[in-house]
Amino acid sequence: MSPVSGRNRKQKGANALKLGMYFRRHWQLYALLILPISYFLLFKYGPMYGVIIAFKDFNFFQGINGSKWIGFDAFREVFAMKDFYKTLRNTLMLNFLDLLLSFPAPLILAIMLYELKSVWFKKLSQTILYIPHFISWVIIGGIVYQVFGTQSGMINNIVTSLGFDAIPFLTDKNDWLLTYLLVGVWQSAGWGTIIYLAALTGINKELFEAAEVDGAGRLRKIWSITLPSLKPTIVTLLIINLGNMIAIGFERPYIIGNTAVREYSDVLSTFVYRIGIESGQYTLATVVGLFQAVVGLVFVLGANYASKKLADQSIL
Amino acid sequence: MRERHASRTFDVINAIAILFFVLICLAPFLHIIAISLSSARAIMTGEVSLIPVDLNWNAYKQVFSDMSMIRSLGFTVMLTLLFTLLCMLMTIAAAYPLAKTGLKGRKPLMFIIVITMFFSGGIIPEYMLVRNLHLLDTVWALVLPGLISPFYLIILITFFQNIPDSLEESAQIDGSSYIRTLVSIIIPLSLPVIATLSLFYAVGRWNGFTDTLMYITSPEMYPLQLKLYQLVQNNMVSELMQMEGASGQSMLQPESLKAASVIFATVPILIVYPWLQRYFVNGVMIGAVKG
Amino acid sequence: MAINAKTKKKTSILLALTLVCTLLLSACGGKDKENGSSGNSGASGKQVTLKVEVFDRGNSPAGSTITNNYLTNYVQDNFGKPNNINVQFVPVPRSEEVKKLNVLMASGGDVPDIVFTYDSATFYRYAQQGGLTELSELIEQHAPNLKSFLGEDTLAYGQFEGQQFAIPAKRSHLGKYSSFIRQDWLDKLNLPIPQTTDELYNTLKAFKEKDPGQTGGKVIPLGMALAPAQYEPLIWSFIQPLTDEQRITLTQQLGSRDYPTLLPGFKDALQFMNKLYNEGLMSVDFSLDEDKKKLSEDVSKGLVGFFSEDDMNPFYPDGMYATLQANNPGATLTSVDVYSNSEGKHPKPEYAPIGLFIMIPKTSDRAVEAIKYLDWMASENNLFNMQNGVEGENYTLKDGVPVMKADATEEAKNRIYNWGDMAIISNGKQLGDADKNVEAYVLGMPEQYQDETRRALTVSRNDTFKPVKFDRPIEAQNKYGTGLLDKFHEIVVQTTMAKPDKFESTFESMMKDYMANGGQAILDERTKVYESMK
């Protein structure tokens, strides 16, 4: 028996003992985790074999196992489609613009609400501001048309009566970008304030009083007290949003988008809808989904790493 | 004095800006209400903007006398309550241990969870799973698959992590077990975020219906949003009508009925947030630390 | 102590909720499938279950559900009982029918014995992947009535590589589109109804310049939307007369319709649209109007002088015409056939003579019963009764044509609220010949519009051409069809709205994009099939 392995064995034994003691002391924590983790394993990992569809020529009746294996053929096919790259570019572009505009909006709005003096006005505003979140996109589509339409839209009616040319909010692809973003802010800003407002309730009011004594103005107080206390929330949401850069919801581009601006409004989700779901071609749809999943995961891990280094915060 | 003046200016500008946002958020809602109370002729001509034209309550009479809508309302409320309750229980149970950075096995567990935010099997494997578990056409098919949202879980973990360790330590010194600490200290301190996440779960379940389309066949179990979707989508574009040989009359849904159904399906969930607002109580945490 | 009280309150709420939800569970969770189908085929003695799909549009009237109403009872009483079959209807939301059907077919066990779809690509996919029962034997043996009702022509559409995999429904009225013009405007300006495209152009200009409707400059001479009913009559009128070879190889079927992207004359059509658009003679936002809502609004407001539409659409109660006249009592519409080609004809597409594709999955044990059901529907008066209800209460007979009673009771009307979805073997009412079928539609419209409706339904059957039919599906079309349809719309929109000097370059680049994304593939495949068919 070599002294090295002997020591190792003893070490292992001691470690095992430590581990045992650890579990015995903290068993409640693991007990709490049993059901949640089982949920993930059963309902999320259970169906995950479905990603194999990306590598098979899916036949409804032969099922996933019976369908023919085609390796990366479907990937080659998708990556050869010009439309794929166009929709990829649009996805990233729209998400990036959203990050610039739609991400700060709820934050700013939340702080504004927080600063409101009148309690009843604050409560009323909060409730009304998130109504747009509840209106289904199909209906929003109709409303957008009525507001932004070139010929008889509300805004253009005002513009033309002032003597200017009508602005093609919906039919010029660049103007459309603005419309898309504004509608996004309108729809989600109010709702997004909820999480920030919840975080803001935890601020110690005494900090404000102390700052007042030091002669700080309103904006100063917001900058040095309110914002920092929201840092954890902001960073977490930012990481998750960055991870979602490659994914994009289906409804907003589909509903707000239209034929005239397809150059910009066609995104990965509408692409999948067209070539995959509508044509029943699950293989192609799964390929794009898999692509998005891998890229998204890489993004999130990257963002998480950056945040760990820069802001000392991480979700992993 | 100068500061007070600047402060008041700030307040005024702030209030006006908020008022502006409130109005643009309210306007479309008023528009839908106006449509629900107007006549078909006025709607088709595009006369209706924010106030009803040819005011009538027919659409609402129709909605409220439709027993299937009422039943669906009841079912959706029950479903949402059940769902939110179970989701929060599970999310809290998972967030508490995972918030402890020293927990052995935490990193791999977090990884497992984050992966599910990106990778999924697709509708067919998911359908097969629900079917193999014999959950098809039961209320559990609408509750179990979405039991924990990784996104909300992460938010809750972040919040738990920001509760000062000193609170937990003092509780443990007093001999409190983990579960006891969770229930009697952590949860009460986290009421704002728990209320928020409950709201998110509830709204998600209330508004969602795509899973119902796949898993449910009994019309008694159609949630409100699904019935609404059917009404709005089945606005048979005339080409479709022709293609499907309809006689026309029975297939056209009046716009006012659609609008009334939208209001009917949206108002209940709108009232939940104001009701939950009382849980957003300020200063609870600070008092505890001080004490 | 505040915390304890809160905890107690929470616990009691929790208990209450759990109790409530357990009750809920027991009520809903145990939805027993009472009629588990017995294994043996029910020749005699043992009752068997036949599961039939039915579209659910969410509009079941009070007192009935989609699975339990007058028509389902009619079927059970007149077909189920005598044959010892329990007919069960499985609802599928209409708006998700293809998606849900795909999932059902993939899952194997839960799929009904009779399924159907309007989407031919879906039918071909199932047939090709081997998921459907072959039906020719069964039809020979058990469905003579069905066979004679449908006829060989209709049945041919349900064949795939020579085998009968679907039973197509028979369509009663094949016309699609008519055009409409403001007669009162023509009268005011003392103009005749235009008979050719050139005359139409001049008429449109007159509408714009003279504004007979006194719209204050808001007149829209040509009402346009981004929907087939609006652009097809225009575009097809520019297509030059074709040889058989051209017609078969160059046409492109995208989705359920044939498109003229590669046909000679397409460019001219777009040029005409470009001219109209840039001269302010066309709806400015037509590219946004895919559901025709804006067009309907503009017509109802009295702004539009001329437009094309689905032949019946303007005449429904509370429809375009009714609303127009409510707003503007002197306004009148005439159904006209104007767009003309080089031969002076007014070419328009007509429907393929089919409706639903009815299929029986291969996994079904009840193929015999299913075929018998369809045959029953085609026998005696069963179809007629399902579509029309009870004589005297729902309708009266006028020269063999059922006229729906306008004063029928709610209860009577609700009886047959979903006849279109239950009487699956027919698309529209079948009364023996095309004219009679048209009468059935005409007499269903409000009285003051019946003459005009009849005229419109005659226009829509005039100078029509059938869709091109192959005996096998074109793979490339199934694959690229939906995507190319979007591209087609893009071509129309971009070339129409381009500044006149940019028309050429826009057209060239968009066509290149179209060809590269499947257009060429479809062309190649169709040419190959044509060669093999010669």
Side-chain angles (χ1 to χ4, degrees):
Chain A
M1 199 192 321
S2 108
V4 177
S5 60
R7 200 179 331 145
N8 279 354
R9 249 214 250 143
K10 251 215 208 130
Q11 193 77 344
K12 277 203 200 128
N15 282 345
L17 207 63
K18 266 203 212 137
L19 213 58
M21 263 171 45
Y22 180 84
F23 280 124
R24 218 167 302 145
R25 220 166 44 132
H26 303 284
W27 71 273
Q28 286 196 344
L29 293 179
Y30 291 95
L32 282 174
L33 281 173
I34 292 180
L35 277 182
I37 298 293
S38 320
Y39 159 76
F40 276 105
L41 292 178
L42 178 60
F43 283 97
K44 297 283 181 187
Y45 284 91
M48 221 175 268
Y49 64 90
V51 293
I52 295 195
I53 296 181
F55 302 98
K56 292 202 163 199
D57 184 12
F58 185 63
N59 177 316
F60 284 96
F61 309 101
Q62 293 167 344
I64 297 180
N65 288 323
S67 299
K68 199 171 78 152
W69 177 267
I70 54 169
F72 281 95
D73 282 354
F75 282 87
R76 271 186 273 271
E77 192 178 332
V78 169
F79 291 152
M81 292 187 191
K82 278 232 191 76
D83 268 0
F84 173 71
Y85 295 100
K86 184 172 81 173
T87 53
L88 179 61
R89 173 203 75 191
N90 287 342
T91 306
L92 292 173
M93 174 176 73
L94 293 180
N95 278 336
F96 180 68
L97 292 173
D98 258 347
L99 203 63
L100 289 182
L101 199 59
S102 289
F103 185 77
L107 177 61
I108 299 176
L109 200 53
I111 296 181
M112 285 167 72
L113 285 170
Y114 185 66
E115 292 286 331
L116 273 184
K117 288 281 186 327
S118 155
V119 175
W120 71 266
F121 185 48
K122 192 197 302 208
K123 288 212 160 122
L124 185 65
S125 308
Q126 279 176 278
T127 312
I128 295 183
L129 281 173
Y130 69 82
I131 287 181
H133 174 86
F134 289 96
I135 305 181
S136 90
W137 279 104
V138 179
I139 300 185
I140 295 182
I143 295 177
V144 164
Y145 192 7
Q146 286 175 320
V147 171
F148 291 99
T150 319
Q151 189 165 39
S152 53
M154 242 196 300
I155 298 188
N156 272 320
N157 278 342
I158 301 178
V159 166
T160 45
S161 64
L162 289 177
F164 297 104
D165 279 335
I167 308 176
F169 286 112
L170 292 172
T171 46
D172 172 87
K173 60 185 195 215
N174 294 310
D175 292 336
W176 178 83
L177 280 180
L178 185 65
T179 315
Y180 174 83
L181 292 172
L182 287 180
V183 173
V185 171
W186 171 83
Q187 202 259 358
S188 61
W191 182 252
T193 62
I194 295 181
I195 190 99
Y196 289 118
L197 287 173
L200 285 171
T201 62
I203 298 185
N204 186 351
K205 283 273 189 297
E206 290 178 7
L207 288 171
F208 286 114
E209 289 158 26
E212 179 91 28
V213 167
D214 285 349
R218 292 295 282 279
L219 292 174
R220 188 77 221 277
K221 283 189 230 168
I222 294 177
W223 185 257
S224 28
I225 304 177
T226 319
L227 273 182
S229 68
L230 287 176
K231 191 179 93 157
T233 317
I234 297 178
V235 173
T236 307
L237 291 177
L238 190 59
I239 295 178
I240 294 180
N241 265 300
L242 282 172
N244 281 334
M245 282 284 267
I246 193 80
I248 189 162
F250 174 75
E251 284 131 333
R252 180 158 49 126
Y254 184 67
I255 301 278
I256 310 288
N258 61 74
T259 314
V261 297
R262 192 159 288 136
E263 187 62 24
Y264 283 174
S265 73
D266 211 12
V267 289
L268 284 176
S269 53
T270 50
F271 177 69
V272 167
Y273 182 70
R274 220 171 42 235
I275 63 149
I277 316 286
E278 270 197 334
S279 342
Q281 304 199 70
Y282 285 105
T283 306
L284 294 181
T286 316
V287 163
V288 179
L290 198 53
F291 170 78
Q292 286 179 296
V294 170
V295 173
L297 188 62
V298 168
F299 276 12
V300 122
L301 291 176
N304 193 50
Y305 179 77
S307 118
K308 211 192 298 195
K309 291 286 174 206
L310 298 173
D312 196 28
Q313 216 180 308
S314 120
I315 54 178
L316 275 182
Chain B
M1 289 308 116
R2 250 274 197 77
E3 286 130 28
R4 281 226 202 107
H5 185 75
S7 180
R8 203 166 304 157
T9 321
F10 178 88
D11 279 329
V12 170
I13 299 182
N14 195 28
I16 294 181
I18 299 243
L19 186 62
F20 173 70
F21 291 134
V22 165
L23 288 176
I24 52 174
C25 288
L26 194 55
F29 197 59
L30 291 178
H31 174 72
I32 298 176
I33 295 183
I35 296 222
S36 68
L37 294 169
S38 303
S39 71
R41 183 206 61 80
I43 298 173
M44 184 164 233
T45 325
E47 285 175 15
V48 184
S49 57
L50 291 179
I51 21 177
V53 177
D54 303 337
L55 180 66
N56 70 83
W57 296 88
N58 294 339
Y60 285 104
K61 278 194 221 149
Q62 209 175 336
V63 171
F64 278 98
S65 61
D66 182 355
M67 276 322 289
S68 73
M69 281 297 244
I70 309 279
R71 261 196 309 248
S72 180
L73 175 65
F75 173 75
T76 315
V77 169
M78 290 292 174
L79 172 66
T80 309
L81 283 178
L82 176 64
F83 181 75
T84 311
L85 182 67
L86 289 180
C87 287
M88 281 319 292
L89 284 178
M90 291 287 254
T91 310
I92 294 174
Y96 181 59
L98 290 173
K100 306 200 174 312
T101 44
L103 185 77
K104 281 206 194 300
R106 181 177 177 272
K107 258 228 168 111
L109 285 177
M110 286 307 292
F111 208 71
I112 290 181
I113 292 172
V114 169
I115 296 239
T116 67
M117 287 170 82
F118 297 95
F119 292 87
S120 83
I123 33 173
I124 292 184
E126 284 168 12
Y127 179 84
M128 302 292 275
L129 179 67
V130 171
R131 172 165 150 258
N132 292 334
L133 291 174
H134 298 286
L135 296 179
L136 277 183
D137 220 22
T138 69
V139 76
W140 297 106
L142 303 178
V143 170
L144 293 182
L147 208 50
I148 305 182
S149 152
F151 181 31
Y152 300 159
L153 179 58
I154 290 179
I155 292 182
L156 192 58
I157 290 177
T158 311
F159 265 79
F160 280 174
Q161 281 174 337
N162 282 306
I163 296 179
D165 292 333
S166 47
L167 277 173
E168 275 220 50
E169 283 160 19
S170 58
Q172 296 206 309
I173 291 174
D174 287 345
S176 173
S177 72
Y178 276 125
I179 296 192
R180 181 106 168 276
T181 316
L182 174 63
V183 171
S184 40
I185 299 186
I186 305 293
I187 291 185
L189 284 179
S190 314
L191 280 184
V193 76
I194 288 182
T196 305
L197 293 180
S198 306
L199 180 67
F200 287 170
Y201 275 126
V203 169
R205 181 66 270 172
W206 183 271
N207 281 344
F209 61 87
T210 38
D211 52 349
T212 324
L213 287 169
M214 289 300 130
Y215 301 140
I216 305 290
T217 37
S218 310
E220 296 87 59
M221 292 176 65
Y222 282 1
L224 214 46
Q225 284 291 340
L226 175 58
K227 296 193 72 70
L228 186 64
Y229 178 70
Q230 281 185 315
L231 266 179
V232 173
Q233 284 293 71
N234 288 329
N235 178 27
M236 299 275 282
V237 184
S238 69
E239 171 209 337
L240 218 54
M241 261 159 99
Q242 263 204 310
M243 193 166 90
E244 305 189 10
S247 66
Q249 267 159 314
S250 57
M251 302 270 185
L252 272 177
Q253 294 288 3
E255 287 292 321
S256 54
L257 179 62
K258 281 194 256 170
S261 310
V262 170
I263 302 293
F264 181 79
T266 312
V267 166
I269 197 73
L270 275 181
I271 344 184
V272 176
Y273 181 58
W275 179 79
L276 274 179
Q277 274 189 353
R278 61 188 163 115
Y279 286 105
F280 287 44
V281 174
N282 197 357
V284 174
M285 185 138 85
I286 315 310
V289 174
K290 262 231 187 115
Chain C
M1 297 317 111
I3 294 177
N4 276 354
K6 254 197 193 138
T7 320
K8 267 207 202 124
K9 190 162 158 216
K10 262 213 155 161
T11 323
S12 45
I13 295 180
L14 241 117
L15 284 174
L17 280 174
T18 320
L19 181 65
V20 161
C21 294
T22 320
L23 289 174
L24 170 78
L25 212 204
S26 54
C28 300
K31 240 329 163 253
D32 241 337
K33 317 273 186 270
E34 329 93 46
N35 306 300
S37 40
S38 42
N40 339 337
S41 66
S44 60
K46 213 137 181 227
Q47 189 188 57
V48 292
T49 301
L50 178 69
K51 293 195 279 187
V52 182
E53 183 186 349
V54 66
F55 283 151
D56 186 0
R57 299 176 196 273
N59 58 350
S60 303
S64 11
T65 66
I66 191 71
T67 48
N68 185 1
N69 54 58
Y70 173 83
L71 287 175
T72 61
N73 290 333
Y74 183 87
V75 167
Q76 185 60 40
D77 290 337
N78 293 290
F79 168 74
K81 243 195 265 188
N83 289 293
N84 209 3
I85 299 177
N86 178 9
V87 184
Q88 235 182 34
F89 287 94
V90 179
V92 167
R94 171 68 186 92
S95 43
E96 300 292 308
E97 66 117 343
V98 173
K99 205 156 148 201
K100 179 107 196 220
L101 190 56
N102 282 339
V103 173
L104 286 177
M105 292 297 253
S107 71
D110 304 322
V111 63
D113 303 298
I114 294 183
V115 294
F116 39 73
T117 178
Y118 280 106
D119 183 34
S120 63
T122 303
F123 157 58
Y124 284 134
R125 197 174 320 118
Y126 293 161
Q128 193 181 42
Q129 294 188 350
L132 302 177
T133 312
E134 212 279 333
L135 301 172
S136 22
E137 266 276 320
L138 289 164
I139 296 179
E140 281 305 311
Q141 275 189 5
H142 301 282
N145 294 306
L146 184 67
K147 192 161 174 202
S148 63
F149 171 74
L150 293 176
E152 286 296 337
D153 284 341
T154 311
L155 276 172
Y157 280 89
Q159 283 169 4
F160 175 81
E161 288 175 1
Q163 295 186 294
Q164 191 78 39
F165 280 118
I167 294 173
K170 189 168 175 182
R171 181 177 285 274
S172 67
H173 170 63
L174 303 185
K176 276 190 177 192
Y177 312 126
S178 172
S179 299
F180 302 93
I181 199 165
R182 282 291 294 271
Q183 186 64 50
D184 55 315
W185 287 9
L186 290 177
D187 293 339
K188 211 161 178 194
L189 298 180
N190 250 316
L191 290 171
I193 296 179
Q195 303 291 338
T196 67
T197 309
D198 287 330
E199 288 177 25
L200 176 65
Y201 175 70
N202 291 325
T203 314
L204 292 178
K205 288 199 79 170
F207 283 164
K208 175 131 184 134
E209 281 154 24
K210 310 242 175 78
D211 196 5
Q214 296 177 319
T215 63
K218 289 188 188 239
V219 60
I220 303 174
L222 174 64
M224 178 62 64
L226 194 57
Q230 278 67 49
Y231 61 70
E232 286 214 274
L234 191 163
I235 295 183
W236 283 104
S237 72
F238 278 87
I239 304 302
Q240 291 154 19
L242 305 165
T243 63
D244 264 352
E245 178 169 356
Q246 284 177 314
R247 196 176 64 88
I248 295 177
T249 55
L250 297 179
T251 311
Q252 305 236 311
Q253 185 189 335
L254 310 175
S256 58
R257 280 181 296 275
D258 276 353
Y259 279 85
T261 332
L262 302 181
L263 295 177
F266 179 56
K267 194 171 172 188
D268 302 324
L270 294 180
Q271 192 105 58
F272 183 62
M273 285 184 74
N274 180 282
K275 184 158 104 157
L276 292 180
Y277 188 82
N278 282 301
E279 290 182 18
L281 298 173
M282 189 195 285
S283 309
V284 174
D285 278 334
F286 81 93
S287 65
L288 302 174
D289 195 13
E290 286 181 39
D291 60 4
K292 307 186 228 186
K293 223 154 151 196
K294 191 74 185 31
L295 177 65
S296 304
E297 199 181 292
D298 289 336
V299 170
S300 313
K301 280 205 275 219
L303 300 177
V304 174
F306 172 87
F307 63 100
S308 308
E309 230 316 32
D310 294 315
D311 53 11
M312 282 185 264
N313 205 32
F315 304 108
Y316 292 114
D318 283 344
M320 269 191 259
Y321 202 177
T323 315
L324 169 64
Q325 291 195 319
N327 289 330
N328 203 326
T332 46
L333 290 176
T334 306
S335 317
V336 290
D337 213 356
V338 177
Y339 293 113
S340 54
N341 67 2
S342 54
E343 291 175 340
K345 291 208 195 286
H346 312 287
K348 292 182 285 299
E350 70 175 28
Y351 281 107
I354 56 165
L356 279 172
F357 290 92
I358 304 172
M359 307 170 279
I360 301 177
K362 202 150 183 202
T363 52
S364 165
D365 293 323
R366 299 278 161 259
V368 174
E369 286 79 3
I371 292 287
K372 281 195 179 155
Y373 173 60
L374 298 173
D375 188 63
W376 165 86
M377 208 186 283
S379 332
E380 295 167 6
N381 286 326
N382 293 321
L383 180 64
F384 188 85
N385 290 339
M386 283 177 78
Q387 291 182 326
N388 294 295
V390 177
E391 185 173 4
E393 289 178 37
N394 284 104
Y395 66 93
T396 51
L397 275 180
K398 193 170 134 182
D399 301 324
V401 178
V403 182
M404 305 314 284
K405 289 180 73 150
D407 58 352
T409 62
E410 264 320 291
E411 192 246 323
K413 278 196 214 156
N414 289 339
R415 255 183 227 151
I416 49 172
Y417 79 94
N418 64 341
W419 66 260
D421 290 322
M422 288 291 283
I424 51 182
I425 60 174
S426 170
N427 188 303
K429 295 188 183 175
Q430 301 284 356
L431 300 171
D433 65 60
D435 288 324
K436 269 218 184 111
N437 293 343
V438 164
E439 272 312 293
Y441 283 114
V442 167
L443 297 174
M445 292 298 177
E447 213 180 312
Q448 69 266 38
Y449 301 134
Q450 284 181 359
D451 283 336
E452 213 51 60
T453 311
R454 198 177 291 115
R455 237 193 302 269
L457 274 84
T458 313
V459 164
S460 66
R461 290 179 292 156
N462 185 29
D463 288 344
T464 53
F465 55 88
K466 288 195 192 327
V468 177
K469 184 180 181 313
F470 292 98
D471 63 350
R472 74 204 80 158
I474 307 289
E475 275 296 325
Q477 275 168 185
N478 290 345
K479 220 169 172 183
Y480 301 115
T482 347
L484 283 181
L485 184 52
D486 286 341
K487 290 220 179 284
F488 178 84
H489 284 157
E490 241 184 305
I491 297 178
V492 171
V493 166
Q494 298 289 0
T495 53
T496 304
M497 291 173 68
K499 293 277 168 271
D501 55 353
K502 285 267 187 310
F503 175 81
E504 277 297 332
S505 50
T506 313
F507 180 77
E508 292 303 317
S509 66
M510 303 230 69
M511 284 302 288
K512 241 173 75 181
D513 186 44
Y514 179 92
M515 292 308 273
N517 276 292
Q520 186 67 49
I522 295 181
L523 173 63
D524 293 337
E525 196 175 334
R526 283 179 80 118
T527 314
K528 219 167 70 184
V529 173
Y530 174 73
E531 294 298 322
S532 73
M533 271 176 18
K534 272 210 289 211

